[in-house]
Amino acid sequence: MYPQIYLGQIPATPAQRRDLRALALDLRGRIQAARTDEPTTLLLHFAAGAGPLVDLLLLRSQVLIVAALRAYRAPIVAPPGGRWAYRDTGEPIDEPGGTTPIQHIGAQRDAVRALLSHAAPTLPGLPANEQPFEQIIGALICRPAIHPDSQIALEISEHRRRLKLLGLDELPGLAAMVRTGPPLAQPVLRAIVADVLGGRLWHDGTRFLFDLAPPRFQLRVLATGARPEKLLPLFEGENVIGRRRAAQQYEYRLTLAGDELISADHATLIVGDDDTVTVRDTSKNGTWLAAPNAAEARVRRERTVAVGAELRIGITRMRLERPDQ
């Protein structure tokens, strides 16, 4: 199954990890929606030399796209060869070292090309003295799209260097259009991603193979009748719990079967960056909380859940715990 998504480095903060996971699922959906038969490999958040981390690498048999992803909050103005700025305020938009965004992606593209050139003799099945890709594209990608009121013009020299500006919605189309040089076999592409650039397979086209951070909390679902006890890990951010099995978009889903009083999306358990857990009731039949040594009470909108507290949804009871308990 494709796309296969590799990960270079795990982000340091919970917010960055949540954003990276959402990006991976977003990219998977966009590429699958393009309905291409060509295998696609992605590498996210990796180092190409001593410079800043590269956001995205897209590889197909005849194309390599090195991309920086940016979310600009308002229209921007960028004359050819000039400084980038927000149109309405004049606030400059600079990358590390004071470069413009397009200069930044040009430097990252060149760093990846230098690494591949150095590694070319070690790549399996690549003829001697040949580079893996005839052309490598550098792309500045606006998430989710370029603001329609932006005025950005690239220099002719930037076009000749294969530097592009596009929205995230245009990425699958750009990858499909490029057909230069001989196609590379999948073993060569895997060697580039894993051996040269240090990526680890994170999403195999169907599911994530590992989590970006270990769960800080878990729910112990207590045995009821013929249903045995089980543990459900809680991950950073929102964890949706209910009877529905299929996850929607970027959510973490905890499915509970065998209790008809549980709604499809019954409640959301939010693991905060400050190491707290909050329950938000979204059900028809209610969510009930009993703090340690306290009586059970119905959750009205949101409540903080202490370790050791019990939640009840339908006839199912769960206790919040630390994984090491």
Side-chain angles (χ1 to χ4, degrees):
M1 292 288 292
Y2 288 90
Q4 292 192 342
I5 304 174
Y6 287 72
L7 178 63
Q9 297 185 19
I10 295 177
T13 70
Q16 290 171 336
R17 292 191 286 268
R18 288 194 296 269
D19 182 65
L20 187 64
R21 183 180 184 275
L23 172 64
L25 292 174
D26 191 5
L27 289 167
R28 182 194 65 169
R30 291 177 185 275
I31 290 172
Q32 290 180 343
R35 299 185 181 278
T36 177
D37 294 330
E38 186 168 357
T40 301
T41 300
L42 305 174
L43 173 60
L44 305 180
H45 203 65
F46 69 99
L53 293 175
V54 180
D55 296 322
L56 168 66
L57 194 77
L58 185 149
L59 300 97
R60 284 182 176 167
S61 63
Q62 290 178 281
V63 60
L64 175 62
I65 300 174
V66 182
L69 290 94
R70 299 292 183 266
Y72 298 117
R73 63 180 183 271
I76 56 180
V77 175
R83 307 304 300 178
W84 290 47
Y86 286 105
R87 185 195 65 182
D88 297 336
T89 64
E91 179 187 351
I93 300 172
D94 290 323
E95 294 289 335
T99 61
T100 67
I102 204 69
Q103 290 169 340
H104 173 76
I105 191 54
Q108 291 197 322
R109 191 276 311 270
D110 293 345
V112 171
R113 180 165 55 189
L115 280 176
L116 295 185
S117 179
H118 179 74
T122 67
L123 294 175
L126 194 67
N129 301 319
E130 278 199 15
Q131 301 301 311
F133 293 94
E134 186 174 296
Q135 296 179 1
I136 300 177
I137 295 174
L140 177 67
I141 299 179
C142 299
R143 297 175 60 186
I146 300 173
H147 195 288
D149 296 329
S150 294
Q151 299 174 344
I152 306 171
L154 304 184
E155 291 186 308
I156 294 176
S157 62
E158 293 167 335
H159 287 290
R160 289 174 177 168
R161 293 177 59 205
R162 298 293 188 269
L163 301 181
K164 306 291 185 181
L165 173 69
L166 61 149
L168 187 60
D169 54 333
E170 300 172 275
L171 178 61
L174 174 63
M177 287 191 300
V178 179
R179 291 289 186 272
T180 59
L184 296 179
Q186 288 302 303
V188 179
L189 298 178
R190 284 194 293 269
I192 289 172
V193 173
D195 300 335
V196 178
L197 298 173
R200 180 165 52 134
L201 184 60
W202 181 28
H203 194 288
D204 64 1
T206 303
R207 62 188 179 90
F208 287 107
L209 303 182
F210 61 90
D211 295 302
L212 299 183
R216 288 179 281 160
F217 299 92
Q218 65 186 19
L219 284 177
R220 184 177 296 274
V221 182
L222 305 179
T224 304
R227 289 191 302 164
E229 183 177 276
K230 66 177 180 178
L231 295 176
L232 299 176
L234 297 180
F235 295 100
E236 297 170 333
E238 295 188 351
N239 301 257
V240 181
I241 190 166
R243 284 191 294 112
R244 183 165 53 83
R245 295 182 180 275
Q248 293 183 341
Q249 291 187 313
Y250 319 133
E251 70 184 8
Y252 284 113
R253 168 148 292 275
L254 306 175
T255 299
L256 291 176
D259 187 341
E260 295 301 318
L261 296 176
I262 296 177
S263 300
D265 297 319
H266 197 102
T268 300
L269 289 155
I270 306 157
V271 178
D273 297 352
D274 57 355
D275 214 33
T276 61
V277 176
T278 303
V279 59
R280 178 190 303 144
D281 178 50
T282 55
S283 69
K284 294 180 179 179
N285 295 326
T287 298
W288 303 80
L289 174 65
N293 303 315
E296 183 179 83
R298 185 167 184 169
V299 173
R300 304 294 181 181
R301 297 184 180 178
E302 290 188 356
R303 287 274 304 276
T304 299
V305 185
V307 171
E310 288 192 4
L311 288 162
R312 179 174 64 82
I313 59 177
I315 61 171
T316 301
R317 293 183 177 276
M318 301 165 289
R319 185 166 59 245
L320 182 68
E321 299 177 345
R322 294 281 189 179
D324 55 358
Q325 287 183 333

